[in-house]
Amino acid sequence: MNSLLRIGEEGATAERVRPVVTAMVEELRRRTPRMLGFPANLAWDASYAHSLLSMMINNAGDPSTHDDSGNDAKAFEQAVLSWFTDIAGGGRDTYGYVTASGSEGILFGLFVARHRFPRAPVYLSADAHHSVRKAAAILRMETVTVPCRDDGTMEPAALARLCHEARRTKGGRSADGAVVVATIGTVMRGAVDDLPALRAAGSQAGGVHLHADAALGGLVAAFSRPEPAWNLAHGADSLSVSGHKLLGCPVPCGIVLTPRRFVPPQPTGQYLGADDHTLGCSRSGLAAALLWCRLREMGTRGLRETVARCQQTAQYATEALAAAGARPERFPGSLTVTFDRPDSSTCATWHLATQGDRAHLVAMPHVTPQAVDMLCADLGRGH
């Protein structure tokens, strides 16, 4: 362990702590231009909001009810949720909150689904995020893996067969239903599952709860033309989006949405003075306030323009990688470009995500055509 990071018996003054933190931030900034493989926007500087760090802000319980402690930022959270609800095709009955991560949003979506269909298995694609299985394990829900098509999307016909088989083995009963997790932007390929087709296929098992894991791809889909089916208006029963990926919130967070009628009733702690249907109860008011800062600063138009620029960079990367002989592939509209996996040194230099014989880059706002050119030059040198 670095001796500067060791926590000892005696405390240290802020003057001694500050340079250690400053050095860490400088190192992270040095790496930023070469961080191509992971879906986090590193381009937003939120230091103007430093005063938010001057106190602890706890959004305990539901965003719509102030708790008795009084040190919350729920008004900011409500504004964020209102914007996301409009973008995601929700209505007045939509419930949601700012989560600690996209994974918590998946967990909440499956929690809601289990309340609706207590014995239904979770159907997920072979390319679904690993946190889906983790959430299902926490909730003790059976999982069924559905094959993918060549483009990386879940195969609706295979889902229909699996659901039909599950119903047949139960003598034709359809009460168990199906919990289907669609991915809006798969981890390695950025593929967008077909929500209407998956809902129709899942109905072979009876009732369906369709959760859309839209961690990165949701906001990209919202501003793509044509807009793919990805949200509550397109058939999702619950939806989760990350706040630290495309938006670049400096603390991991996310948003989860579902119709209020699906939310299980929860006991309320009398001491809290607020309703609480969240998983965490105590939640980061800092994350909610920073999300508001980001969205208020950009506006809907700014985010639309950001998505367009990122898609242009992804297209540029596709063409440049093809010229470099790396055999790139890109799902239509996606910010993710896969290509032949280079040597370990190149992967480490450019912080590339890899799986099998393929690697990918994600055209986040901090990724530039110049960085793509430098990567391709390294590929050409076999570096």
Side-chain angles (χ1 to χ4, degrees), residues 319-342:
E319 296 168 1
L321 288 163
R327 299 191 304 163
E329 294 180 353
R330 176 180 173 230
F331 191 88
S334 175
L335 306 188
T336 302
V337 182
T338 64
F339 54 98
D340 288 339
R341 181 174 182 164

Side-chain angles (χ1 to χ4, degrees), residues 119-121 123 162-178 202-207:
R119 295 180 299 277
Y123 295 88
L162 289 165
C163 289
H164 178 77
E165 178 64 20
R167 183 172 178 176
R168 187 187 65 79
T169 59
K170 295 180 181 296
R173 291 188 294 109
S174 60
D176 285 1
S203 66
Q204 292 290 324

Side-chain angles (χ1 to χ4, degrees), residues 55-60 65-75 271-274:
M55 65 180 299
M56 189 278 292
I57 310 173
N58 184 3
N59 283 12
T65 55
H66 289 287
D67 61 274
D68 289 342
S69 71
N71 67 325
D72 64 72
K74 291 186 179 180
Y271 80 96
L272 184 61

